[in-house]
Amino acid sequence: MDSRTEIREFLTSRRARISPQQAGLPSYGTRRVPGLRRVEVAQLAGISVEYYSRLERGDLSGVSDSVLDTLARALRLDDEERTHLEDLARSDDFRARWARHDVRQHHIGTKPFRHPVVGDLHLTYEALDLTADNLTLVAYGAEPGSDSEDRLRLLASWASTLAPAPGHDPGHDGRRPPAPPVSRPLDAC
């Protein structure tokens, strides 16, 4: 049995065993199934009917502990049933997160770069293909103590001088440090 089916069957069976009278609710209309209606469970748990319906369809991904607590109280779950519900939620949430970030490839290597300011860099990299999102996450770094690490530090220092300072020239394009102001002799004015 898959987790969605197990969640659905668990919640519907627990809802079916509680009458409106047991829950302290008025009973109205003809009931096609025994127990509480979804709207009544949602009301008792303090959540929307749409949200409860999503949970009862088997989607517990991302559900908070506080919602699980109020749901357990609304359905009058004992300790064992509450633990089972929490286990189902953890299992469903883990599977949902893994499915959203399915990692198909993990590449590790080195790559040479030539930067116009600091010269040659030899960087290590790790690349993760996140196929569900159709993305590749790449992280570069230099080996500690290497020339490339020193050059990256120099590059970071140089780049920090590109940040606009108070009173900066608004026409400056940000690609290189602005030239210092030109001083002219007083008699040239």
Side-chain angles (χ1 to χ4, degrees), residues 12-145:
T12 55
S13 68
R14 296 321 182 265
R15 177 169 61 90
R17 72 180 186 184
I18 302 170
S19 72
Q21 294 81 11
Q22 289 172 315
L25 297 172
S27 181
Y28 58 91
T30 306
R31 293 180 182 265
R32 292 181 287 157
V33 294
L36 297 173
R37 294 179 171 125
R38 285 186 188 99
V39 67
E40 293 166 332
V41 174
Q43 179 185 355
L44 291 169
I47 59 178
S48 72
V49 178
E50 294 80 15
Y51 187 51
Y52 177 71
S53 296
R54 187 196 96 184
L55 299 176
E56 196 173 278
R57 283 192 305 270
D59 184 3
L60 294 180
S61 60
V63 67
S64 68
D65 290 339
S66 63
V67 168
L68 290 176
D69 287 342
T70 60
L71 192 56
R73 280 194 299 276
L75 295 173
R76 299 182 176 204
L77 302 182
D78 62 25
D79 290 341
E80 187 177 311
E81 291 169 323
R82 180 185 288 248
T83 300
H84 183 64
L85 179 62
E86 290 168 353
D87 290 344
L88 288 171
R90 277 191 217 101
S91 174
D92 190 53
D93 194 40
F94 174 77
R95 277 195 283 275
R97 272 193 245 146
W98 183 253
R100 284 193 302 267
H101 303 291
D102 189 10
V103 178
R104 294 280 183 210
Q105 297 286 334
H106 181 198
H107 310 280
I108 301 175
T110 58
K111 192 166 186 175
F113 291 91
R114 180 174 296 269
H115 192 276
V117 173
V118 296
D120 291 337
L121 296 167
H122 296 280
L123 303 178
T124 59
Y125 72 90
E126 288 188 51
L128 299 174
D129 292 334
L130 306 172
T131 58
D133 296 326
N134 199 24
L135 298 172
T136 300
L137 175 67
V138 181
Y140 290 95
E143 291 293 327

Side-chain angles (χ1 to χ4, degrees), residues 163-169:
H168 77 283
D169 177 8

Side-chain angles (χ1 to χ4, degrees), residues 158-159 161-164 168-179:
W158 176 80
T161 65
L162 298 178
H168 77 283
D169 177 8
H172 175 52
D173 65 6
R175 285 185 275 187
R176 64 184 104 117

